[in-house]
Amino acid sequence: MEITLRPYKISDVDDFLKYAGNENVTRFTRWNTCTSKEEALSYIKEFCIPHPYCRSICIHDSSIGFLMIIPQSGDNKCRAILGYALAAEYWGQGIVPRALRMAISEGFKEFPHVVRLEATVVVENKASQRVLDKLGFHKEGILRKYTFNKGQVKDLVMYSLLSTDPILPNS
Ligand SMILES: CC(C)(COP(=O)(O)OP(=O)(O)OC[C@H]1O[C@@H](n2cnc3c(N)ncnc32)[C@H](O)[C@@H]1OP(=O)(O)O)[C@@H](O)C(=O)NCCC(=O)NCCS
């Protein structure tokens, strides 16, 4: 199945709500489940569209997920943080790994100061860790009791990929 990445459009709102409004999708994300079309619309308008790299993962131009690269500033401008989520009906088909391969090469070109991409994953989120392992991210360690996630303090796994690291191909 061919996937594309593109910036968000206002007309993505209904598709966006299908995944951002699903508690199975948001279980381990740092953001809360979207509860209405109005909320989805303001998130797209105020966050996704102005964001330097927030992309809709699309099939036939319909949004089925999102992917973000968040460049840091000041002394941290050497790194950027990754975020991603996919509509549950598409899980397990290698879509996010493919989308990340596209975005990572674009991201390093678009943000020349960035030499490190990092992702922190709730320790129970095995699917997300598997995605990063498959791409060749380095598992650097566990950040113990690092953050609240849906009301509970969680351990996070810190992953990174440097601009000089190889991105592993589809296996
Ligand atoms: C995590 C997520 C992005 C994965 O995307 P995807 O396109 O389904 O990824 P893949 O198709 O590569 O499938 C996930 C991999 O994890 C594996 N996996 C899934 N659940 C697992 C579990 N409980 N334990 C171990 N491995 C698991 C799958 O078998 C697959 O590996 P494989 O290709 O070796 O068989 C998607 O499940 C999602 O959107 N989850 C909700 C949002 C989220 O967690 N975002 C990340 C926050 S850090």
Side-chain angles (χ1 to χ4, degrees):
M1 202 176 317
E2 199 197 335
I3 57 157
T4 52
L5 296 181
R6 61 154 172 77
Y8 270 90
K9 305 188 274 201
I10 298 289
S11 56
D12 291 325
V13 63
D14 292 319
D15 291 330
F16 179 84
L17 190 56
K18 281 184 207 154
Y19 47 87
N22 179 342
E23 285 186 359
N24 288 328
V25 173
T26 60
R27 183 168 160 218
F28 296 123
T29 59
R30 247 39 70 72
W31 39 278
N32 290 326
T33 314
C34 204
T35 54
S36 67
K37 187 164 175 173
E38 291 66 38
E39 201 185 325
L41 193 57
S42 70
Y43 193 77
I44 290 177
K45 270 192 199 160
E46 286 156 32
F47 181 80
C48 300
I49 292 177
H51 194 280
Y53 196 100
C54 179
R55 296 288 183 265
S56 170
I57 305 171
C58 295
I59 290 179
H60 304 308
D61 207 45
S62 294
S63 184
I64 59 159
F66 84 87
L67 194 162
M68 272 186 299
I69 297 177
I70 311 166
Q72 304 297 287
S73 57
D75 287 348
N76 294 327
K77 71 178 178 188
C78 54
R79 62 188 172 91
I81 295 170
L82 273 181
Y84 44 83
L86 186 69
E89 68 210 87
Y90 294 98
W91 289 0
Q93 300 175 44
I95 290 177
V96 168
R98 267 189 279 152
L100 280 169
R101 282 187 189 91
M102 294 155 81
I104 289 168
S105 354
E106 262 183 30
F108 281 130
K109 279 189 206 129
E110 202 149 316
F111 308 111
H113 288 295
V114 172
V115 293
R116 170 191 164 98
L117 286 177
E118 67 182 33
T120 51
V121 183
V122 174
V123 85
E124 290 92 342
N125 191 353
K126 300 296 181 200
S128 182
Q129 290 169 59
R130 176 75 186 124
V131 165
L132 297 167
D133 287 334
K134 286 196 289 187
L135 287 162
F137 276 68
H138 289 239
K139 184 174 174 176
E140 295 183 329
I142 308 286
L143 305 169
R144 296 183 303 160
K145 303 291 178 209
Y146 197 69
T147 194
F148 273 92
N149 181 245
K150 310 292 183 289
Q152 285 186 307
V153 184
K154 292 288 182 182
D155 293 350
L156 298 184
V157 190
M158 171 61 86
Y159 278 90
S160 73
L161 185 87
L162 302 187
S163 53
T164 48
D165 289 335
I167 306 171
L168 301 184
N170 267 325
S171 53

